[in-house]
Amino acid sequence: MKATSITGVYKEKNRIYTENLPCCKGSTVYNERIVYYRDREFRSWNPYRSKLAAAISNGLKISFKTDSKILYLGAATGTTVSHVSDIVRDGWVYAVENSPVAMKKLLYTCGKRHNVIPVLADANHPERYGSIVSGVDFVYQDVSQRNQAEIFKTNVFRYLKKNGEGVLMVKARSIDVSLKPKKAYELVCLELEDAGLKIERRIDLHPYDKDHMVILVSYF
Amino acid sequence: MYLVTKWFGVFLCDEKGVKKKILFPKDEKEISKRLIEIDKNKVLSEEKKIIKNVKEQLVVNEKRLHRYGVYKPNDPFFIEFDIEPRDFGFSENLLHKAAKVVAEEKTLEELKSKDLQIIQMVNALDDLIQVSNLLSERLERWKSISASKKKIQPLENVFSMVDSSIKYFEKQIEDDMRDIAPNLTNIVGPLIGARLIAFAGGLKKLSSLPASTIQVLGAEKALFRYKKEGGKPPKHGVIFQHPYINTAPRKFRGKIARAMSSKISIAVKADVFTKRDIFKELKLVLDEKVKNIKNL
Ligand SMILES: C[S@@+](CC[C@H](N)C(=O)[O-])C[C@H]1O[C@@H](n2cnc3c(N)ncnc32)[C@H](O)[C@@H]1O
């Protein structure tokens, strides 16, 4: 098991891992494999199940620190949230999700994680969680909605600290099924750039996800 | 002066810092109670108290507080000025606990909500109808070769049970639909209405869809194929089950579907937003329209 250039992400052979939090010893979130190395417990991070793992496997460098504050939009049932929570062990993950069915499961899978703050809310209306969330270092978004660029912008402007970064997972089909994926990504990037965000990198999630692109954005 | 509400208290601030504050009790229950109030768009008693006797113009960044100050969500002050819980003796672990209580309560409440129950009921109903058809076919075949009473009885029992469950769900769906969506129910009937809610994923979601989407709800596969591969666009989804459409001559169906979905869209918006009963007028207009289309 070796550390990688990304804080909190480890590698062994061709798989990536995060170190499980002490409060969650021995428990898994989505039946991922647990391995032990020098008395430390690592959870395997499956790129077929988590788009962030897919992005990292395809070369995405993210700037998480152990004490980063992350605004996570579209937390779903906590697959990726749990790994982010492993990485920012001394920081916070505000996990926003608007489906009560998903939230119920998220509370079950990540309720014990002391650095996860669950928020049942619609990311279209960031001001509704204004008393809970404040100044974050990173905005992560995976909501597969048609207006996802809009959702991303309003949250970035309200909560992302200057010099912060953000990641947007774009599913081409949810932008417009009649467009070629390339065109759909182009539209999203243009909308972000028009709002003054800088596109740092774009990485295709192939072969882990079909017609998905991750966009890394910075904000000054 | 800025009025800022955080999970641990309410604050009056200016560029130099916090001028006045009322902190919440350091207790997850007390904090979650306030977060739920905020979520329900209510003004906290602490908020009312802190602004009493303040003469200066206030600036707020929540619509919830617009009565108390100018609403400026993008005022840079709110982004640059962070009030740290630790500076006031609050640990973020308390927020973790309070947020969990809030999310649990809200989740429970939303899962209980009637439209989600209706979605489950109408899906169950459609399952039961399918089972009932299968069973009745089987019984008929069996009887056609003359069945022994003893052997066929268990199947007859299940069949009649399925049938009474179908009646039960139809009644329950109708009652709940009249309750949460009277306009929609009166325009298309409780079952088609319930299926529309199911395909949209909820009543609120249905109310936000344009009429053109409502027209093809339930025909997603066909729509996707059309957008990708061209050809003929699907003209109707679930609303095709309505007698207005499925008894009409083929050439009129698209037009009638369009007229219906536009009225459905208006009806659902009334059910969700104004909550006024407008179905009588809507139905008159729709009937007239359908008549005209057929007489063209
Ligand atoms: C593709 S899933 C996210 C998967 C998750 N990021 C993971 O890797 O474990 C998208 C999620 O976004 C949620 N979502 C969609 N629209 C949303 C909105 N407006 N606000 C909050 N969540 C939303 C959906 O309910 C769904 O759970």
Side-chain angles (χ1 to χ4, degrees):
Chain A
M1 191 73 62
K2 282 205 183 85
T4 64
S5 61
I6 301 168
T7 307
V9 179
Y10 302 83
K11 202 163 186 177
E12 191 197 44
K13 293 190 188 126
N14 275 325
R15 291 166 188 264
I16 56 173
Y17 294 82
T18 59
E19 185 178 359
N20 208 357
L21 289 184
C23 61
C24 306
K25 276 256 141 59
S27 57
T28 63
V29 171
Y30 57 106
N31 251 324
E32 69 281 15
R33 214 159 51 96
I34 290 190
V35 303
Y36 294 90
Y37 181 77
R38 294 202 177 139
D39 283 341
R40 288 161 69 185
E41 185 175 309
F42 295 86
R43 294 191 304 125
S44 145
W45 194 359
N46 185 342
Y48 289 96
R49 297 288 300 278
S50 163
K51 279 169 230 156
L52 185 54
I56 291 173
S57 303
N58 283 358
L60 178 75
K61 297 269 182 290
I62 37 165
S63 58
F64 291 171
K65 300 199 187 68
T66 54
D67 62 352
S68 292
K69 277 202 212 172
I70 319 284
L71 175 57
Y72 191 123
L73 308 169
T77 57
T79 305
T80 304
V81 168
S82 70
H83 288 285
V84 175
S85 143
D86 279 350
I87 296 173
V88 299
R89 327 172 68 75
D90 309 313
W92 297 95
V93 187
Y94 301 102
V96 179
E97 168 58 50
N98 74 342
S99 146
V101 180
M103 178 53 77
K104 193 173 170 186
K105 217 163 157 202
L106 178 79
L107 286 166
Y108 177 74
T109 56
C110 294
K112 269 195 295 180
R113 299 184 161 265
H114 57 75
N115 61 355
V116 173
I117 301 194
V119 181
L120 178 64
D122 183 345
N124 277 296
H125 305 288
E127 69 170 62
R128 306 239 174 102
Y129 36 92
S131 54
I132 295 179
V133 180
S134 62
V136 300
D137 306 292
F138 202 98
V139 175
Y140 180 92
Q141 178 176 307
D142 178 12
V143 296
S144 10
Q145 294 287 314
R146 197 190 177 91
N147 65 335
Q148 50 185 295
E150 178 70 39
I151 297 179
F152 188 72
K153 283 186 308 190
T154 50
N155 280 278
V156 161
F157 294 147
R158 194 167 173 120
Y159 295 118
L160 187 60
K161 289 190 209 155
K162 292 267 138 76
N163 300 318
E165 280 189 339
V167 146
L168 184 60
M169 293 293 170
V170 184
K171 177 175 166 190
R173 256 176 61 176
S174 54
I175 300 299
D176 189 334
V177 288
S178 60
L179 287 181
K180 287 248 162 61
K182 238 185 165 164
K183 201 87 202 137
Y185 304 141
E186 210 49 60
L187 275 180
V188 174
C189 285
L190 271 178
E191 190 174 345
L192 297 176
E193 279 173 342
D194 280 349
L197 299 172
K198 187 164 171 245
I199 312 286
E200 297 287 348
R201 268 203 89 174
R202 299 162 47 155
I203 298 175
D204 198 288
L205 297 191
H206 184 83
Y208 307 107
D209 280 285
K210 201 174 157 246
D211 293 343
H212 274 78
M213 172 78 83
V214 53
I215 301 176
L216 178 71
V217 163
S218 62
Y219 175 57
F220 301 99
Chain B
M1 208 77 115
Y2 297 89
L3 171 61
V4 182
T5 300
K6 290 279 154 199
W7 59 270
F8 49 95
V10 297
F11 302 86
L12 279 180
C13 322
D14 63 16
E15 278 75 11
K16 286 189 219 94
V18 173
K19 287 275 122 70
K20 212 167 144 190
K21 61 170 193 281
I22 301 178
L23 298 176
F24 298 152
K26 282 190 186 124
D27 175 88
E28 66 203 64
K29 290 244 165 60
E30 291 291 328
I31 290 173
S32 60
K33 224 164 68 190
R34 287 162 177 82
L35 291 176
I36 287 170
E37 296 255 292
I38 291 174
D39 199 71
K40 292 193 170 143
N41 234 342
K42 294 200 176 117
V43 178
L44 303 178
S45 62
E46 285 90 352
E47 289 169 330
K48 287 182 189 150
K49 197 162 155 205
I50 202 167
I51 59 174
K52 233 189 200 157
N53 303 324
V54 173
K55 298 266 154 26
E56 265 174 87
Q57 172 76 68
L58 289 176
V59 180
V60 299
N61 68 345
E62 292 180 62
K63 276 193 206 112
R64 181 176 66 86
L65 300 170
H66 76 274
R67 259 178 293 155
Y68 304 97
V70 202
Y71 172 59
K72 283 193 194 161
N74 296 322
D75 191 309
F77 174 83
F78 291 107
I79 296 150
E80 279 150 29
F81 188 77
D82 228 353
I83 307 174
E84 280 292 333
R86 268 169 242 173
D87 297 346
F88 297 90
F90 284 78
S91 89
E92 256 154 336
N93 196 32
L94 195 53
L95 172 59
H96 163 75
K97 287 186 186 149
K100 258 194 339 194
V101 176
V102 176
E104 263 155 26
E105 274 187 32
K106 271 186 76 183
T107 302
L108 260 174
E109 207 169 289
E110 286 193 22
L111 287 178
K112 264 196 322 216
S113 66
K114 275 210 169 128
D115 57 342
L116 294 187
Q117 298 299 324
I118 288 176
I119 293 176
Q120 294 303 321
M121 279 196 286
V122 77
N123 287 337
L125 177 71
D126 289 342
D127 292 345
L128 286 169
I129 291 174
Q130 227 180 347
V131 172
S132 163
N133 288 339
L134 276 174
L135 290 179
S136 104
E137 228 173 88
R138 173 65 53 223
L139 282 168
E140 218 167 279
R141 278 207 201 166
W142 199 338
K143 282 179 187 161
S144 74
I145 60 160
S146 84
S148 98
K149 181 96 185 121
K150 202 170 132 236
K151 283 188 184 132
I152 208 172
Q153 193 57 46
L155 208 56
E156 297 263 19
N157 293 346
V158 178
F159 180 66
S160 78
M161 252 168 71
V162 169
D163 245 19
S164 66
S165 305
I166 288 178
K167 296 213 174 76
Y168 168 81
F169 280 124
E170 279 175 348
K171 173 88 180 55
Q172 195 64 48
I173 291 170
E174 170 151 14
D175 289 352
D176 287 2
M177 281 296 288
R178 288 200 187 284
D179 189 20
I180 68 163
N183 292 305
L184 174 64
T185 307
N186 277 290
I187 297 290
V188 290
L191 295 184
I192 295 179
R195 290 186 188 114
L196 286 171
I197 294 177
F199 278 113
L203 182 61
K204 251 208 184 129
K205 289 197 186 140
L206 181 60
S207 74
S208 68
L209 296 180
S212 56
T213 307
I214 293 176
Q215 185 181 339
V216 292
L217 269 186
E220 270 76 14
K221 276 210 190 109
L223 184 65
F224 182 60
R225 207 177 327 115
Y226 160 68
K227 283 217 171 183
K228 254 188 108 169
E229 292 159 15
K232 267 194 178 168
K235 289 205 192 77
H236 20 58
V238 203
I239 61 170
F240 182 72
Q241 296 162 359
H242 196 276
Y244 275 0
I245 303 177
N246 70 11
T247 62
R250 237 163 237 291
K251 55 180 175 180
F252 299 137
R253 288 181 184 176
K255 272 203 172 134
I256 299 178
R258 205 157 345 120
M260 267 188 94
S261 47
S262 95
K263 296 299 172 272
I264 291 171
S265 156
I266 298 170
V268 184
K269 286 196 173 73
D271 285 330
V272 172
F273 301 109
T274 61
K275 301 210 171 7
R276 283 206 338 252
D277 283 346
I278 56 166
F279 55 85
K280 278 204 189 107
E281 300 88 301
L282 267 183
K283 196 137 194 333
L284 275 178
V285 178
L286 178 63
D287 287 350
E288 189 63 32
K289 197 129 201 206
V290 173
K291 226 167 73 194
N292 284 342
I293 292 173
K294 285 186 174 167
N295 288 337
L296 270 181

